[in-house]
Each structure stands twice: as structure tokens, then as C-alpha cells.
Amino acid sequence: MRSDVASLPGSPERPNEDWAAATLPASGGGGTVVLLDGVTPPVGDDGCVHSVPWFTARLGGALTELSASRPDMSLSEILSLAIRRTADAHRDTCDLSHVRTPQATVVLARWDASSVEHLVLSDSVLLLESPDGAVRAVLDDRLDRVPDEILRSLAATDRLRNQEGGFFTAAADPAVAARAVTGSTPRAEVRSLAALTDGASRWVELFGEGDWAECLGVLRKEGALGLLHRVRALEAADERAGGVRRWKRHDDATAVYTELRDG
């Protein structure tokens, strides 16, 4: 396989809360991609003494190790165990029942000679490209269904966070893994894949510069960093125009592009 990974912080004053990894097992067959977008909490108490980057690093590390080393486990089982391991790492020091306890969106992809498995939880995106160039976006659109007027209210958003009828993220409850969007595609039907946090998917979803196939084309031609630089340029132009299309000036932006090759 060939992977290209890039990440840019949303602000130089804040640490990047995203996490990304692409791994090739020691056997040389197959591979995995892990992408997390840490949820930035509002100012105030979240019941935890740790930062969001602390959380995404530990959850991402557990997901990377398990997805590469445990082919006997499904991706849902891997996410559940990784959440449990991460929760155990700070259960004695933090209130994990707090609705804003550190949490993240998740994209997982794993492949071998026969299939490509996927898992998506919350608003990061996975793109799967077929040999004929068609691109399928795997999305968890539950957050998109929440009206903007609710998302503008912290209290209203908290009432929907990891609740039925709302939206789900990976936090401290392993049971949330069952809420993820999962599936499997024959390996022969996937030529490449890409994982994007919502800071990177703005190129399509916020600015409408192209569709998902065109987005993947940018990744192939210009690399992951090329896409992120395009997003930053669009954000800067939007800011000069008065910011009519944005509600958040910049966001951490991460992209992973992977070509699957045999032999």
C-alpha cells in the first residue's frame, strides 16, 4: 500500500486534537487506517483532568494496535475494547459520566486480500474508490440532522450527545461502538480510500468546491497536505468576504489517502 497523511491545527494557540495512523502488518498483507477528530469542549468543567489530545492519543493508539493485531475481532469489537482501555486509564481520576468527558469521532478501515472493512462514528468521512473511479462516501449523518438552532445551544446539544435521537461519539461508554456505521466491501472493488476529519471535508461539505470523487482526485494529485492547503485558502477568502459560509473560522484538519496495491 501507499499512504499519505497530513494534519494542520486549527489555531497555533491550541494543540491539534486530531489523530491519524496508517499501518502495515508485519506479515506485509493488508493494512489499517485510523482517524480521530477530538471534540473540543466548551470552556468550563468537563469532569476530566486530561486534555482532548491526551484522550485521542490513547484511544488512537489502542485502535491502531488492535486493528492491526486482532484480525479475529470485528471493528466494532475493537472500538469497544479501545474505549474501555482508554476509560480505564483515567477512571480513577476523572468523572467519566460527565456529558462532556473527552470524546472523538472515529474512522476505521482495515483490509486484507479478500475484503475492506469500515467503521464510521460521527461526522468524519471515509471515501472508498472503485477501480472504475467511482467514489462512495461512508457517512454517519446523525449530527447533520440536528437543527442548527439546537447546536447553537450548549445545553440543548448536551441533551442529544450520545443519546437516542441525537448523535454519538467515542467517549467513555464501550456500548457506543454498536452505534457506528459499519460494513465490508470486496477487496477487488476498492482501489483507494481516504479518511477526512470535518476540518478537511469542508472542501466539499462547506465550500462546495467539488464532489467526493473530485476531492479524492485532489488527494491523488496534490497529496493530503495539498487538500488541506486548499481548505485553508478557502477559509481565508471566506473570512475576507465576511465569513458568510462559516460558523467556525478554522478547525483542526486531517486527511489520510491510501492506495491499495497487490504484490
Side-chain angles (χ1 to χ4, degrees):
M1 75 175 191
R2 181 179 74 84
S3 284
D4 181 29
V5 183
S7 187
L8 294 176
S11 167
E13 286 80 36
R14 293 180 57 88
N16 193 332
E17 296 171 339
D18 289 352
W19 165 280
T23 65
L24 180 68
S27 66
T32 65
V33 164
V34 179
L35 180 78
L36 303 180
D37 182 353
V39 177
T40 304
V43 176
D45 179 41
D46 60 9
C48 187
V49 301
H50 301 101
S51 66
V52 175
W54 178 94
F55 174 80
T56 53
R58 278 152 184 79
L59 181 61
L63 289 169
T64 303
E65 184 266 314
L66 289 168
S67 61
S69 66
R70 293 296 304 272
D72 57 308
M73 296 177 66
S74 69
L75 295 185
S76 293
E77 291 170 333
I78 284 169
L79 177 57
S80 179
L81 179 54
I83 291 173
R84 185 180 302 280
R85 284 186 181 179
T86 305
D88 287 345
H90 65 141
R91 192 181 305 281
D92 294 338
T93 57
C94 306
D95 177 12
L96 302 189
S97 67
H98 197 293
V99 69
R100 296 177 192 161
T101 191
Q103 51 205 270
T105 75
V106 181
V107 174
L108 291 176
R110 179 175 64 182
W111 60 93
D112 57 21
S114 62
S115 66
V116 179
E117 304 167 79
H118 67 257
L119 179 151
V120 176
L121 185 67
S122 199
D123 60 348
S124 292
V125 181
L126 177 68
L127 304 179
L128 300 174
E129 183 191 27
S130 66
D132 65 3
V135 175
R136 175 164 64 100
V138 181
L139 304 166
D140 175 0
D141 65 355
R142 281 169 288 201
L143 183 58
D144 293 334
R145 298 180 212 161
V146 179
D148 287 344
E149 57 268 24
I150 290 179
L151 294 177
R152 293 189 188 101
S153 166
L154 296 178
T157 301
D158 283 347
R159 285 192 291 270
L160 293 178
R161 192 181 302 278
N162 287 316
Q163 296 294 327
E164 189 64 44
F167 60 95
F168 296 90
T169 57
D173 181 7
V176 78
R179 304 287 188 169
V181 176
T182 60
S184 180
T185 306
R187 168 66 183 80
E189 296 179 12
V190 181
R191 179 171 70 184
S192 70
L193 58 85
L196 309 171
T197 62
D198 64 343
S201 65
R202 284 181 167 196
W203 192 83
V204 173
E205 295 181 309
L206 180 62
F207 295 107
E209 289 294 296
D211 59 21
W212 293 119
E214 291 167 319
C215 180
L216 196 139
V218 172
L219 287 166
R220 176 180 294 111
K221 294 177 183 178
E222 302 178 23
L225 191 58
L227 175 66
L228 302 191
H229 283 162
R230 282 185 176 230
V231 171
R232 289 292 186 255
L234 290 165
E235 291 168 338
D238 189 46
E239 185 174 11
R240 290 192 295 271
V244 295
R245 291 189 291 183
R246 62 179 171 83
W247 65 275
K248 190 175 183 181
R249 180 184 177 190
H250 297 298
D251 196 2
D252 298 336
T254 302
V256 182
Y257 171 70
T258 300
E259 292 181 351
L260 310 186
R261 296 176 175 177
D262 296 321

